[in-house]
Amino acid sequence: MELLLGSALRLFVSQGYRSTNLEQISSAAELTKGAVYFYFRSKEAVLLELLKQVQGTVVDRAIEVTEAAGGSATERVVAYVHYQANLGITHRDEVLLLILMALEFKEREGEVQSFIANLYARQCTFIEGLVRDGQQRDEFRTDAATRELASLVLAINDGTFLEWYRRSNVLKGPDLVRALRLMVLGGLGAAAGQLPAKPARRKAPAKITTVSRSSRHT
C-alpha cells in the first residue's frame, strides 16, 4: 500500500488526477495492476486514502501546533505559517495534492469533492477564529471583514506553495518563508512591534548601500 500510495501521490501532483490511470500507478510502484485492485477498488479510492493522510498531516496537525503555541494571536499565526513552511520540506507533495485536487475537482460532485471541501472549511473556520481573536485583542486590523482576511491568509499560503513548486530552482526556502510571514502579518495589520525584527534589519543595510553607491557615481 505504501508503494502504491507513494507512486500515486507523485503522479497526481506531477500530471494531475485525470491524466493518471491505475496502470501508471502500478507500473511506477513496480507492481501489477491486480495489486492496485487488491488494495483499492478504484483510482478515486486511492486519492481518498491519500487525502485522509493529508488531513492528518496538513490540517489536523497544523491546528494542534498552532493552538499549542498559545500567547497572542500574532504568535499563533506565526506558528501556523512556520508549520506550513516546514511541510514544504517534509511533506511538500501532500500539501500540493490538496491544493491541486481542490482545483481539479472544483466543478465535480462526489466523495472526493466533498472531502476536500470539508478540509478547506475546517481550515477556514480555524483561521477565522485566529483572526477574530486578533481583532478583538486589537492586534489585527478591523477595517476588513474577518472571513475575507482569513481567506487571504489561506490564499497567500497556498500561492506560496505553488510558487515554490514552480520556481524551486531559484527561490530560497528560508527567504520565501520570511517574506510569507511578513506578508501575512503585515496584511493582518499586526502591530509593528510584533513583526519579526530580523528581516527588517537585514533589509536596511542593503538600501543604504545602494543609495550610497548611486550617490558616489552621480
Side-chain angles (χ1 to χ4, degrees), residues 46-143:
V46 177
L47 178 56
L48 280 169
E49 182 60 33
L50 284 171
L51 288 172
K52 289 176 184 177
Q53 294 183 4
V54 168
Q55 176 181 357
T57 303
V58 178
V59 180
D60 294 346
R61 183 57 183 156
I63 292 175
E64 291 175 4
V65 169
T66 305
E67 289 179 334
S72 67
T74 301
E75 289 169 332
R76 278 175 281 142
V77 168
V78 169
Y80 178 83
V81 170
H82 283 188
Y83 180 79
Q84 292 293 327
N86 189 56
L87 288 177
I89 301 172
T90 61
H91 295 82
R92 186 195 68 170
D93 284 353
E94 285 87 342
V95 178
L96 287 169
L97 180 73
L98 179 58
I99 298 171
L100 296 174
M101 293 304 101
L103 296 174
E104 192 162 347
F105 282 82
K106 179 67 171 66
E107 303 301 329
R108 301 173 63 177
E109 295 183 358
E111 192 173 358
V112 170
Q113 193 278 335
S114 177
F115 192 91
I116 293 173
N118 287 334
L119 283 186
Y120 268 104
R122 189 174 178 210
Q123 283 184 301
C124 287
T125 299
F126 178 69
I127 298 300
E128 282 179 26
L130 278 181
V131 173
R132 186 177 299 108
D133 184 48
Q135 290 174 323
Q136 293 173 347
R137 293 167 178 253
D138 293 327
E139 293 179 40
F140 299 158
R141 64 193 314 147
T142 57
D143 58 344

Side-chain angles (χ1 to χ4, degrees), residues 180-196:
L180 170 63
R181 181 175 57 186
L182 289 171
M183 283 287 290
V184 169
L185 293 180
L188 288 172
Q194 294 172 316
L195 291 174

